[in-house]
Amino acid sequence: MNGWGKTAGAPARALQRLPFGAPASEVGEVMARHGGLVLTGVLTPDQVHQVNADLDPLVSALPPGNFGSEVSSVTSRSEADEAAYSGSRTRHLQHCYKRSRTYREGFLGSEVLGGYVSTVMPGAMGAPSLYASVVIEIAPGESAQGLHRDGEAFFAPLGLNHAGGPCYLVNCLLALVDVTEEMGATRVIPGSHLWEDFSDFSSQDQTIPATLKAGDMLFYNGKMLHGGGANTTRDRHRRVLATAFSFPFIMGEEAWPFTVSPEEVRGYPRRVQSMLGFRSKSHHGEEPGFFWRVDTCPLERSLGLD
Ligand SMILES: O=C(O)CCC(=O)C(=O)O
Ligand SMILES: [Fe+2]
Protein backbone atom coordinates (compact mmCIF):
# COMPACT_ATOMS: atom_id res chain seq x y z
CA MET A 1 0.00 0.00 0.00
CA ASN A 2 1.34 3.40 -0.83
CA GLY A 3 2.04 5.76 2.01
CA TRP A 4 -0.77 8.14 1.34
CA GLY A 5 -3.28 5.34 1.91
CA LYS A 6 -2.40 5.83 5.56
CA THR A 7 -3.40 9.47 5.66
CA ALA A 8 -6.62 11.29 4.99
CA GLY A 9 -6.89 11.82 1.24
CA ALA A 10 -4.39 11.79 -1.62
CA PRO A 11 -1.45 14.18 -1.61
CA ALA A 12 -1.55 17.49 -3.46
CA ARG A 13 -0.63 17.06 -7.12
CA ALA A 14 1.08 20.44 -7.26
CA LEU A 15 3.00 22.42 -4.72
CA GLN A 16 1.44 25.59 -3.46
CA ARG A 17 3.28 28.82 -4.34
CA LEU A 18 3.49 31.99 -2.28
CA PRO A 19 5.55 35.12 -2.82
CA PHE A 20 8.54 35.55 -0.54
CA GLY A 21 7.32 38.13 1.96
CA ALA A 22 3.91 36.48 2.46
CA PRO A 23 2.96 36.46 6.16
CA ALA A 24 4.83 33.83 8.18
CA SER A 25 1.50 32.53 9.55
CA GLU A 26 0.33 31.75 6.00
CA VAL A 27 3.59 30.01 5.14
CA GLY A 28 3.36 28.08 8.42
CA GLU A 29 -0.17 26.90 7.61
CA VAL A 30 0.81 25.59 4.18
CA MET A 31 3.87 23.89 5.63
CA ALA A 32 1.78 22.22 8.33
CA ARG A 33 -0.66 20.87 5.76
CA HIS A 34 1.61 19.90 2.85
CA GLY A 35 5.10 19.73 4.34
CA GLY A 36 6.52 22.06 1.70
CA LEU A 37 5.83 24.89 -0.71
CA VAL A 38 7.51 27.10 -3.27
CA LEU A 39 8.37 30.66 -2.25
CA THR A 40 8.80 32.81 -5.33
CA GLY A 41 11.13 35.75 -5.83
CA VAL A 42 13.37 35.11 -2.84
CA LEU A 43 16.35 36.62 -4.64
CA THR A 44 16.23 39.20 -7.42
CA PRO A 45 17.75 38.37 -10.82
CA ASP A 46 20.71 40.63 -9.93
CA GLN A 47 21.28 38.77 -6.68
CA VAL A 48 21.06 35.41 -8.45
CA HIS A 49 23.59 36.64 -10.99
CA GLN A 50 25.95 37.77 -8.24
CA VAL A 51 25.68 34.52 -6.26
CA ASN A 52 26.39 32.52 -9.42
CA ALA A 53 29.37 34.72 -10.22
CA ASP A 54 30.72 34.07 -6.71
CA LEU A 55 30.19 30.32 -6.94
CA ASP A 56 30.95 29.51 -10.61
CA PRO A 57 34.72 29.10 -10.34
CA LEU A 58 34.43 27.04 -7.16
CA VAL A 59 31.76 24.70 -8.49
CA SER A 60 33.44 24.13 -11.82
CA ALA A 61 36.71 23.21 -10.07
CA LEU A 62 35.01 20.33 -8.23
CA PRO A 63 34.99 16.74 -9.43
CA PRO A 64 31.48 15.25 -9.54
CA GLY A 65 30.11 12.82 -6.97
CA ASN A 66 30.56 11.98 -3.31
CA PHE A 67 31.70 15.41 -2.15
CA GLY A 68 34.74 15.25 -4.36
CA SER A 69 36.16 11.90 -3.25
CA GLU A 70 36.19 8.78 -5.39
CA VAL A 71 33.67 6.07 -4.61
CA SER A 72 36.57 3.56 -4.76
CA SER A 73 38.15 5.26 -1.75
CA VAL A 74 35.11 4.59 0.43
CA THR A 75 36.21 3.02 3.70
CA SER A 76 33.09 2.73 5.82
CA ARG A 77 29.45 1.80 5.55
CA SER A 78 28.48 5.37 6.20
CA GLU A 79 30.70 6.59 3.37
CA ALA A 80 29.19 3.98 1.06
CA ASP A 81 25.71 5.19 1.96
CA GLU A 82 26.83 8.74 1.38
CA ALA A 83 28.28 7.90 -2.03
CA ALA A 84 24.96 6.42 -3.14
CA TYR A 85 23.08 9.38 -1.70
CA SER A 86 25.39 11.96 -3.30
CA GLY A 87 25.22 10.58 -6.83
CA SER A 88 28.01 10.13 -9.35
CA ARG A 89 27.32 13.21 -11.50
CA THR A 90 26.37 15.69 -8.84
CA ARG A 91 28.69 18.35 -7.54
CA HIS A 92 28.48 19.52 -3.92
CA LEU A 93 30.08 22.75 -2.76
CA GLN A 94 29.79 23.11 1.00
CA HIS A 95 30.31 26.13 3.27
CA CYS A 96 28.55 28.47 0.87
CA TYR A 97 27.86 30.87 3.72
CA LYS A 98 31.40 32.13 3.27
CA ARG A 99 31.64 31.86 -0.51
CA SER A 100 29.15 34.58 -1.38
CA ARG A 101 28.46 37.78 0.48
CA THR A 102 25.22 38.29 -1.44
CA TYR A 103 23.93 34.90 -0.29
CA ARG A 104 25.15 35.49 3.27
CA GLU A 105 23.64 38.92 3.70
CA GLY A 106 20.71 38.78 1.27
CA PHE A 107 19.53 35.28 2.10
CA LEU A 108 20.96 33.90 5.36
CA GLY A 109 20.69 37.29 7.03
CA SER A 110 17.11 37.87 5.84
CA GLU A 111 14.59 38.62 8.57
CA VAL A 112 11.77 37.28 6.42
CA LEU A 113 13.52 33.94 6.07
CA GLY A 114 14.32 33.91 9.80
CA GLY A 115 10.62 34.49 10.53
CA TYR A 116 9.57 31.55 8.35
CA VAL A 117 12.13 29.22 9.90
CA SER A 118 11.14 30.04 13.46
CA THR A 119 7.46 29.73 12.60
CA VAL A 120 7.84 26.18 11.34
CA MET A 121 10.42 25.24 14.00
CA PRO A 122 8.97 26.93 17.08
CA GLY A 123 11.07 26.69 20.21
CA ALA A 124 14.33 25.97 18.41
CA MET A 125 16.03 27.69 21.35
CA GLY A 126 15.19 31.02 19.80
CA ALA A 127 17.71 30.70 17.03
CA PRO A 128 18.00 27.61 14.84
CA SER A 129 21.44 26.44 13.76
CA LEU A 130 22.70 26.15 10.23
CA TYR A 131 22.74 22.46 9.31
CA ALA A 132 23.90 22.71 5.69
CA SER A 133 24.85 25.43 3.20
CA VAL A 134 25.69 23.56 0.04
CA VAL A 135 25.36 23.90 -3.72
CA ILE A 136 23.89 20.78 -5.29
CA GLU A 137 24.50 20.79 -9.02
CA ILE A 138 23.07 17.84 -10.91
CA ALA A 139 24.77 17.20 -14.24
CA PRO A 140 23.16 15.63 -17.33
CA GLY A 141 22.93 11.85 -17.05
CA GLU A 142 22.52 11.74 -13.27
CA SER A 143 19.87 9.35 -12.02
CA ALA A 144 17.26 10.15 -9.40
CA GLN A 145 18.34 10.22 -5.78
CA GLY A 146 16.58 7.78 -3.45
CA LEU A 147 13.57 9.19 -1.63
CA HIS A 148 14.41 10.11 1.93
CA ARG A 149 13.66 12.43 4.83
CA ASP A 150 16.37 14.93 5.73
CA GLY A 151 18.02 14.28 9.07
CA GLU A 152 16.49 10.82 9.28
CA ALA A 153 19.61 9.58 11.11
CA PHE A 154 18.27 11.47 14.14
CA PHE A 155 14.72 10.14 14.09
CA ALA A 156 15.19 6.82 15.84
CA PRO A 157 17.45 7.90 18.73
CA LEU A 158 15.16 10.85 19.46
CA GLY A 159 12.05 8.69 19.22
CA LEU A 160 10.83 10.77 16.29
CA ASN A 161 10.51 8.13 13.60
CA HIS A 162 6.90 9.09 12.98
CA ALA A 163 4.81 12.14 12.19
CA GLY A 164 4.44 13.34 15.79
CA GLY A 165 6.86 15.63 17.57
CA PRO A 166 8.40 18.85 16.37
CA CYS A 167 9.73 19.82 12.99
CA TYR A 168 13.43 19.73 13.88
CA LEU A 169 14.90 20.43 10.45
CA VAL A 170 13.80 22.60 7.55
CA ASN A 171 15.43 22.90 4.18
CA CYS A 172 15.46 25.70 1.61
CA LEU A 173 16.45 24.72 -1.92
CA LEU A 174 17.15 28.01 -3.62
CA ALA A 175 17.21 27.80 -7.42
CA LEU A 176 20.22 29.50 -9.03
CA VAL A 177 19.00 28.57 -12.52
CA ASP A 178 15.51 27.89 -13.87
CA VAL A 179 14.84 24.32 -12.74
CA THR A 180 12.69 22.11 -14.96
CA GLU A 181 11.56 18.55 -14.40
CA GLU A 182 13.99 17.28 -17.07
CA MET A 183 16.94 18.97 -15.37
CA GLY A 184 16.30 17.13 -12.10
CA ALA A 185 13.79 19.22 -10.15
CA THR A 186 13.50 17.85 -6.63
CA ARG A 187 10.84 15.11 -6.43
CA VAL A 188 8.51 15.52 -3.46
CA ILE A 189 5.51 13.81 -1.87
CA PRO A 190 3.45 16.56 -0.23
CA GLY A 191 1.74 15.37 2.94
CA SER A 192 4.27 12.59 3.61
CA HIS A 193 5.52 14.45 6.70
CA LEU A 194 2.20 13.39 8.27
CA TRP A 195 2.41 9.69 7.56
CA GLU A 196 2.27 7.45 10.57
CA ASP A 197 4.97 5.11 9.35
CA PHE A 198 8.28 6.68 8.42
CA SER A 199 9.74 3.33 7.41
CA ASP A 200 7.58 3.75 4.29
CA PHE A 201 9.70 5.42 1.61
CA SER A 202 7.01 5.10 -1.06
CA SER A 203 8.14 5.23 -4.70
CA GLN A 204 9.12 7.67 -7.43
CA ASP A 205 5.80 7.29 -9.23
CA GLN A 206 4.07 8.95 -6.27
CA THR A 207 6.24 12.09 -6.45
CA ILE A 208 5.77 15.42 -8.17
CA PRO A 209 8.56 17.72 -9.38
CA ALA A 210 9.23 21.01 -7.60
CA THR A 211 9.93 23.17 -10.65
CA LEU A 212 11.42 26.57 -9.87
CA LYS A 213 12.41 29.80 -11.55
CA ALA A 214 15.86 31.13 -10.69
CA GLY A 215 15.50 32.99 -7.39
CA ASP A 216 12.58 30.83 -6.13
CA MET A 217 12.98 28.26 -3.42
CA LEU A 218 11.46 25.00 -2.30
CA PHE A 219 10.91 25.33 1.45
CA TYR A 220 10.15 22.03 3.20
CA ASN A 221 9.94 20.19 6.46
CA GLY A 222 12.75 17.61 6.69
CA LYS A 223 10.07 15.00 7.41
CA MET A 224 8.59 15.29 3.91
CA LEU A 225 9.76 12.56 1.51
CA HIS A 226 11.82 13.93 -1.35
CA GLY A 227 14.92 13.36 -3.46
CA GLY A 228 16.89 15.02 -6.25
CA GLY A 229 15.45 14.24 -9.70
CA ALA A 230 17.14 12.58 -12.67
CA ASN A 231 18.74 14.97 -15.15
CA THR A 232 17.67 13.70 -18.56
CA THR A 233 18.84 16.75 -20.52
CA ARG A 234 21.92 16.64 -22.72
CA ASP A 235 23.58 19.79 -21.53
CA ARG A 236 21.75 21.62 -18.74
CA HIS A 237 23.08 21.63 -15.20
CA ARG A 238 20.61 21.96 -12.35
CA ARG A 239 22.07 24.20 -9.65
CA VAL A 240 20.35 24.80 -6.33
CA LEU A 241 21.79 26.13 -3.09
CA ALA A 242 20.50 24.06 -0.16
CA THR A 243 20.29 25.84 3.19
CA ALA A 244 19.05 23.70 6.06
CA PHE A 245 18.33 24.77 9.63
CA SER A 246 17.89 22.54 12.67
CA PHE A 247 17.58 22.53 16.41
CA PRO A 248 21.00 23.45 17.79
CA PHE A 249 21.45 20.10 19.56
CA ILE A 250 21.46 18.26 16.22
CA MET A 251 24.89 17.85 14.68
CA GLY A 252 24.98 19.60 11.32
CA GLU A 253 26.50 18.26 8.14
CA GLU A 254 29.17 20.97 8.02
CA ALA A 255 31.63 21.75 10.83
CA TRP A 256 31.12 25.51 10.84
CA PRO A 257 33.41 26.69 13.63
CA PHE A 258 36.35 24.98 11.95
CA THR A 259 35.70 26.51 8.55
CA VAL A 260 35.80 30.17 9.49
CA SER A 261 37.75 32.25 11.99
CA PRO A 262 36.19 34.53 14.62
CA GLU A 263 37.93 37.45 12.85
CA GLU A 264 36.14 36.67 9.61
CA VAL A 265 32.83 36.15 11.40
CA ARG A 266 33.07 39.58 13.03
CA GLY A 267 31.80 41.25 9.86
CA TYR A 268 28.83 38.88 9.43
CA PRO A 269 25.24 39.76 10.39
CA ARG A 270 24.50 38.74 14.00
CA ARG A 271 21.84 36.32 12.81
CA VAL A 272 24.47 34.51 10.73
CA GLN A 273 27.01 34.53 13.59
CA SER A 274 24.38 32.85 15.72
CA MET A 275 23.38 30.19 13.21
CA LEU A 276 27.07 29.30 12.73
CA GLY A 277 27.54 28.72 16.47
CA PHE A 278 29.48 31.88 17.30
CA ARG A 279 26.94 33.23 19.80
CA SER A 280 25.39 31.90 22.99
CA LYS A 281 21.82 30.63 22.87
CA SER A 282 18.82 30.62 25.14
CA HIS A 283 15.58 28.72 24.82
CA HIS A 284 13.75 32.05 24.50
CA GLY A 285 16.04 33.47 21.84
CA GLU A 286 17.42 36.49 23.61
CA GLU A 287 21.12 37.10 24.21
CA PRO A 288 23.21 36.43 26.08
CA GLY A 289 21.97 32.89 26.49
CA PHE A 290 22.58 30.24 29.09
CA PHE A 291 24.03 27.81 26.55
CA TRP A 292 27.33 27.90 24.63
CA ARG A 293 29.55 29.68 27.15
CA VAL A 294 33.27 29.72 27.90
CA ASP A 295 34.05 29.73 31.64
CA THR A 296 30.53 31.09 32.15
CA CYS A 297 31.15 33.95 29.68
CA PRO A 298 28.77 34.03 26.67
CA LEU A 299 30.77 32.90 23.64
CA GLU A 300 30.21 36.09 21.65
CA ARG A 301 31.66 38.13 24.52
CA SER A 302 34.59 35.79 25.01
CA LEU A 303 35.41 36.08 21.29
CA GLY A 304 35.01 39.86 21.40
CA LEU A 305 32.28 39.83 18.76
CA ASP A 306 30.08 42.51 20.34
O1 LIG B 1 19.14 17.96 -4.95
C1 LIG B 1 17.97 17.88 -4.60
O2 LIG B 1 17.02 18.23 -5.28
C2 LIG B 1 17.65 17.30 -3.24
C3 LIG B 1 18.87 16.93 -2.49
C4 LIG B 1 18.54 16.34 -1.18
O3 LIG B 1 17.43 16.06 -0.87
C5 LIG B 1 19.58 16.10 -0.21
O4 LIG B 1 20.78 16.13 -0.56
O5 LIG B 1 19.25 15.82 0.97
FE1 LIG C 1 17.26 15.61 1.16
Side-chain angles (χ1 to χ4, degrees), residues 85 136 145-151 169 171 173 186 220 222 224-228 253:
Y85 173 75
I136 307 176
Q145 186 185 38
L147 297 177
H148 62 277
R149 295 179 163 91
D150 286 339
L169 189 152
N171 211 335
L173 300 187
T186 310
Y220 67 92
M224 182 183 68
L225 276 173
H226 67 280
E253 287 181 358

Side-chain angles (χ1 to χ4, degrees), residues 31-272:
M31 286 287 274
R33 206 154 3 108
H34 299 300
L37 79 161
V38 173
L39 289 159
T40 58
V42 180
L43 293 190
T44 65
D46 279 354
Q47 286 175 311
V48 171
H49 179 80
Q50 185 56 54
V51 175
N52 277 322
D54 294 335
L55 300 176
D56 277 340
L58 300 163
V59 175
S60 53
L62 286 174
N66 198 28
F67 293 90
S69 61
E70 290 298 322
V71 174
S72 58
S73 73
V74 162
T75 56
S76 69
R77 201 176 98 192
S78 122
E79 277 191 310
D81 288 349
E82 185 190 299
Y85 173 75
S86 304
S88 59
R89 295 184 191 199
T90 300
R91 290 186 164 82
H92 293 85
L93 178 74
Q94 290 190 317
H95 316 313
C96 287
Y97 75 87
K98 68 174 184 178
R99 319 283 195 191
S100 168
R101 183 172 178 174
T102 302
Y103 162 66
R104 183 169 62 244
E105 295 182 358
F107 184 81
L108 291 179
S110 153
E111 252 182 66
V112 174
L113 178 68
Y116 293 160
V117 171
S118 40
T119 297
V120 297
M121 247 182 354
M125 294 173 70
S129 290
L130 196 59
Y131 177 87
S133 173
V134 56
V135 162
I136 307 176
E137 185 170 282
I138 302 180
E142 180 65 281
S143 46
Q145 186 185 38
L147 297 177
H148 62 277
R149 295 179 163 91
D150 286 339
E152 59 195 28
F154 300 106
F155 293 160
L158 291 175
L160 290 170
N161 205 12
H162 56 80
C167 164
Y168 49 81
L169 189 152
V170 290
N171 211 335
C172 312
L173 300 187
L174 177 67
L176 294 178
V177 293
D178 288 347
V179 173
T180 64
E181 179 167 13
E182 299 70 35
M183 288 162 72
T186 310
R187 313 292 314 188
V188 300
I189 305 185
S192 52
H193 64 306
L194 299 175
W195 292 358
E196 278 163 31
D197 180 7
F198 278 13
S199 64
D200 182 351
F201 290 91
S202 194
S203 56
Q204 292 285 351
D205 60 337
Q206 310 302 341
T207 64
I208 56 172
T211 54
L212 303 168
K213 291 282 175 212
D216 294 350
M217 81 179 190
L218 168 63
F219 186 47
Y220 67 92
N221 181 335
K223 294 182 176 186
M224 182 183 68
L225 276 173
H226 67 280
N231 187 333
T232 58
T233 69
R234 283 177 45 186
D235 54 6
R236 289 156 72 203
H237 288 66
R238 191 224 65 171
R239 181 184 291 180
V240 303
L241 176 35
T243 307
F245 299 93
S246 67
F247 280 92
F249 58 78
I250 288 178
M251 181 175 266
E253 287 181 358
E254 305 177 35
W256 314 116
F258 299 95
T259 60
V260 64
S261 67
E263 289 67 41
E264 224 175 317
V265 158
R266 197 179 305 281
Y268 288 7
R270 286 170 74 105
R271 184 186 293 280
V272 179

